[in-house]
């Protein structure tokens, strides 16, 4: 079994990807400093998988500690999730984001190079497309960002593209996620934000369980059918599987730069998600219309033909499944993973 290092492997997307890697015959090794996740996630991953998972509690900004992981393990590839990810916070403290996200990536790549590990999947984002000229969004669209968080993603993409040109034996996959929601069917792992959620789905589920009074819908005057913003919501299990399929592709191809959108190729509005969740919980969800947020755009959804043609990637879950699994996780973990 090939060892795959998963940085940020205790986080929301990382933890689900660890399970997918096991399903696909890889041996995941987790690196996480638990700055935005709980150590209990590791216990839950072991319970779900029935497998002992090796963990290193460290920060990727510490190159010496990171190098020790590679010295102790033969690492076939790395999936790099670790990084700060709150858009609003990035606007307030941009240097924190540039320092953490860029330095951690540089440390990972340099440590890989020093230890003959040549396959890297980078957790990128649809934020690199900014406000697209049209939808659906294709991988060859112009790239433009509107906040420091997104700029770190774009800068890292550019760094990695420069690196593979100079190092042809090194392979990189840039996976541009759209809007992951949902949770593992066990309800043991899911999206577990600290404080008031920044993302739509945990905000809705916390309203449903009574932790929050109502949902704020930011803007209902967009040029969309119901006036609310449209996004491409993808089940986190589908997204996780996309990483395993990408690793398989990297084993087979001679190409050393792969770029894929991972989404459903379908947009859903904020109110679409609210109404779908109402079907799951069996009652109306209170919401209020609030002013638009700075930087929000009307529509953002993917064209995923390339991922389907080259990876065989196709989503298996619909919006109802995403809502149902999110609600299951929230009910089983009313106070988060503690």
């Amino acid at each position: 079994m090939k060892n795959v290092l998963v940085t940020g492997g205790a986080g929301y997307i990382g933890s689900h990807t660890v399970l997918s890697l096991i399903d696909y015959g890889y041996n995941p090794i987790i690196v996480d400093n638990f700055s935005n996740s709980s150590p209990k996630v590791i216990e839950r991953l072991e319970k779900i998988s029935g497998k002992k998972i090796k963990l290193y509690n460290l920060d990727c900004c510490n190159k010496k500690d990171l190098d020790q992981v590679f010295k102790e393990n033969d690492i076939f590839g790395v999936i790099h999730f670790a990084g700060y990810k709150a858009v609003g916070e990035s606007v307030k403290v941009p240097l924190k984001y540039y320092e953490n996200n860029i330095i951690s990536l540089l440390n990972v790549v340099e440590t890989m190079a020093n230890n003959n590990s040549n396959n890297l999947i980078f957790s990128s984002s649809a934020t690199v497309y900014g406000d697209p000229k049209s939808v659906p969004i294709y991988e060859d669209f112009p790239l433009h960002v509107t906040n420091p968080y997104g700029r770190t993603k774009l800068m890292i993409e550019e760094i990695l593209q420069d690196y593979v040109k100079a190092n042809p034996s090194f392979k990189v996959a840039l996976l541009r996620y759209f809007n992951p929601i949902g949770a593992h069917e066990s309800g043991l792992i899911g999206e577990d934000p600290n404080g008031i959620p920044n993302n739509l789905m945990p905000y809705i589920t916390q309203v449903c369980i009574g932790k929050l009074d109502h949902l704020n819908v930011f803007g209902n005057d967009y040029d969309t059918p119901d006036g609310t913003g449209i996004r491409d919501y993808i089940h986190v299990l589908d997204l996780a599987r996309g990483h395993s399929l990408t690793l398989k592709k990297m084993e087979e191809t001679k190409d050393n730069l792969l770029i894929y959108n991972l989404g459903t190729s379908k947009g859903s509005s904020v109110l679409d998600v609210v109404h779908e969740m109402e079907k799951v919980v069996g009652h109306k969800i209170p919401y209020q219309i609030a002013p638009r947020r700075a930087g929000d755009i009307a529509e953002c959804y993917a064209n995923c033909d390339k991922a389907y043609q080259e990876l065989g990637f196709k989503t298996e879950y619909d919006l109802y499944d995403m809502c149902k699994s999110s609600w299951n996780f929230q009910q089983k973990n009313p106070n988060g993973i503690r």
Side-chain angles (χ1 to χ4, degrees):
M1 294 174 68
K2 293 185 170 79
N3 293 323
V4 178
L5 191 67
V6 185
T7 71
Y12 174 45
I13 303 172
S15 59
H16 289 82
T17 299
V18 164
L19 295 177
S20 178
L21 290 170
I22 293 170
D23 287 343
Y24 275 76
Y26 294 104
N27 181 49
I29 298 170
I30 293 176
V31 162
D32 207 302
N33 67 355
F34 302 106
S35 65
N36 195 32
S37 58
S38 169
K40 290 190 177 297
V41 169
I42 309 303
E43 300 171 19
R44 295 184 178 205
L45 290 173
E46 291 178 342
K47 182 175 181 180
I48 294 168
S49 66
K51 176 181 170 62
K52 183 70 177 174
I53 297 171
K54 187 179 285 190
L55 165 71
Y56 289 86
N57 185 346
L58 61 87
D59 191 325
C60 291
C61 288
N62 187 321
K63 193 192 296 187
K64 182 179 178 182
D65 286 351
L66 194 59
D67 187 65
Q68 190 61 35
V69 178
F70 282 80
K71 291 289 188 284
E72 294 177 8
N73 303 276
D74 179 16
I75 305 293
F76 163 71
V78 176
I79 304 179
H80 185 52
F81 293 106
Y84 295 145
K85 62 175 188 175
V87 171
E89 183 186 42
S90 78
V91 175
K92 295 176 182 176
V93 286
L95 293 186
K96 174 183 176 181
Y97 273 66
Y98 290 124
E99 180 179 33
N100 182 79
N101 292 5
I102 303 298
I103 290 176
S104 63
L105 179 280
L106 292 175
N107 284 351
V108 166
V109 174
E110 290 175 9
T111 306
M112 291 177 71
N114 292 337
N115 291 278
N116 197 32
S117 178
N118 292 313
N119 299 286
L120 173 66
I121 295 177
F122 175 59
S123 163
S124 193
S125 165
T127 58
V128 299
Y129 294 114
D131 191 353
K133 61 183 180 180
S134 61
V135 287
I137 296 168
Y138 291 79
E139 285 88 351
D140 61 358
F141 271 26
L143 304 182
H144 170 72
V145 293
T146 58
N147 57 70
Y149 159 73
R151 196 162 287 110
T152 65
K153 293 293 189 184
L154 183 53
M155 290 171 71
I156 288 170
E157 285 201 11
E158 292 171 342
I159 289 167
L160 291 173
Q161 291 187 62
D162 286 342
Y163 187 76
V164 296
K165 287 176 185 175
N167 298 273
S169 64
F170 195 86
K171 293 181 182 179
V172 164
L174 307 175
L175 300 186
R176 295 172 180 162
Y177 312 155
F178 280 68
N179 293 70
I181 58 176
H184 191 267
E185 59 267 18
S186 66
L188 289 173
I189 58 171
E191 191 169 8
D192 183 27
N194 293 325
I196 296 176
N198 290 306
N199 295 334
L200 177 63
M201 182 55 76
Y203 205 121
I204 292 176
T205 59
Q206 288 191 21
V207 171
C208 291
I209 208 162
K211 289 185 72 174
L212 298 171
D213 292 336
H214 66 276
L215 170 71
N216 283 317
V217 176
F218 296 104
N220 66 342
D221 56 351
Y222 289 103
D223 185 17
T224 61
D226 65 19
T228 65
I230 288 177
R231 300 291 183 269
D232 188 339
Y233 297 98
I234 177 173
H235 199 297
V236 68
L237 291 177
D238 282 326
L239 182 60
R241 187 163 38 82
H243 293 76
S244 299
L245 291 171
T246 301
L247 265 183
K248 293 294 185 186
K249 175 72 174 179
M250 294 174 87
E251 291 191 59
E252 300 165 358
T253 187
K254 293 182 179 179
D255 294 337
N256 72 340
L257 179 63
L258 305 172
I259 302 175
Y260 300 109
N261 288 338
L262 293 183
T264 64
S265 301
K266 177 185 177 184
S268 300
S269 74
V270 173
L271 291 184
D272 286 336
V273 179
V274 170
H275 296 325
E276 203 67 23
M277 182 59 84
E278 288 175 341
K279 296 177 187 176
V280 171
V281 299
H283 60 75
K284 290 291 184 182
I285 296 172
Y287 67 86
Q288 293 179 4
I289 303 301
R292 292 187 185 189
R293 291 182 299 193
D296 275 356
I297 60 178
E299 288 188 278
C300 180
Y301 61 92
N303 178 286
C304 298
D305 290 351
K306 185 180 178 187
Y308 174 69
Q309 292 161 4
E310 297 187 13
L311 304 178
F313 173 78
K314 189 175 183 181
T315 56
E316 297 177 358
Y317 301 94
D318 61 18
L319 187 58
Y320 182 85
D321 298 324
M322 300 178 213
C323 291
K324 183 179 179 181
S325 61
S326 296
W327 180 229
N328 180 48
F329 172 74
Q330 181 69 77
Q331 287 179 298
K332 290 183 176 178
N333 303 272
N335 297 308
I337 299 175
R338 301 289 182 267

